[in-house]
Each structure stands twice: as C-alpha cells, then as structure tokens.
Amino acid sequence: MAVSKKEAGECPVDAMMRVLDGRWKGTILWCLQDGPKRTSELKRAVPEITERVLIRQLQELVSDGILQRAESDESATRVYYSFSEYGKTLIPIVQMMCEWGRKHLVREASPGCEMS
C-alpha cells in the first residue's frame, strides 16, 4: 500500500522536501532572496507559472512559516511576500541547490563527463 507524503516518516530530508515540494517553489524562493516582492513581480519573474499555481504555492510557503505575507497601507492594497526570519535559514540551502543544479545541467549536457 502506498504511503502519502503527509504520512511519511520523520526523515529530516523528507521533512525538507515536503516544504519544498512543488514545481515552482524553488524558483519562487530564489526570486525572493533579494527582498520582498509583490505577487505581480513574482508572476513576471516566472512567466511560465499560472497565477493560480503561484498563489497556491505562496500560500503553502506562508503556511509552512517560510514566507510572510504583508499588505501595504496604500489606498490600493498591495500584497508583498518575503522570507520570514525562520525562512531566511533556507536561503543558503537554496543557493547550494542552485550551485548543484548548475553542475548537474553541465553534466547532463556532456554525457560521460565526470565532474568533481
């Protein structure tokens, strides 16, 4: 019988992957590492994502305590997303994942090429 991700054991790697699970979450976190962004700015930064999926993934990251959502006090309310203090602990991990991803892309482009 299959086990859902929510029922998975207490493996720390699985715990991290449950938070980052989502096609665009890594990209969203990468975009936010430079500071708060409005939903529309994130949508422009990731044009392939639908607005519905963007909103859902942002809500999940807020729910997990990784991001915080803030509304401006302007007449036209604007919503900003940024890393929470807890979420900031993920920034070096996202950066390391990006570095690994770059190496992996080079490796994929050059089959048989070993990288150290």
Side-chain angles (χ1 to χ4, degrees), residues 76-103:
T77 303
R78 294 180 179 188
V79 176
Y80 292 86
Y81 290 91
S82 61
F83 278 97
S84 65
E85 284 304 311
Y86 175 64
K88 288 177 184 176
T89 64
L90 261 179
I91 293 173
I93 295 165
V94 171
Q95 291 171 340
M96 288 186 332
M97 289 170 55
C98 182
E99 279 303 309
W100 186 89
R102 283 187 182 116
K103 291 176 184 174

Side-chain angles (χ1 to χ4, degrees), residues 52-71:
R52 179 174 174 246
V53 171
L54 174 62
I55 297 299
R56 186 176 65 234
Q57 300 221 323
L58 287 167
Q59 289 171 340
E60 290 173 6
L61 289 163
V62 169
S63 176
D64 286 330
I66 305 304
L67 298 182
Q68 55 192 12
R69 180 183 187 273
E71 294 182 10

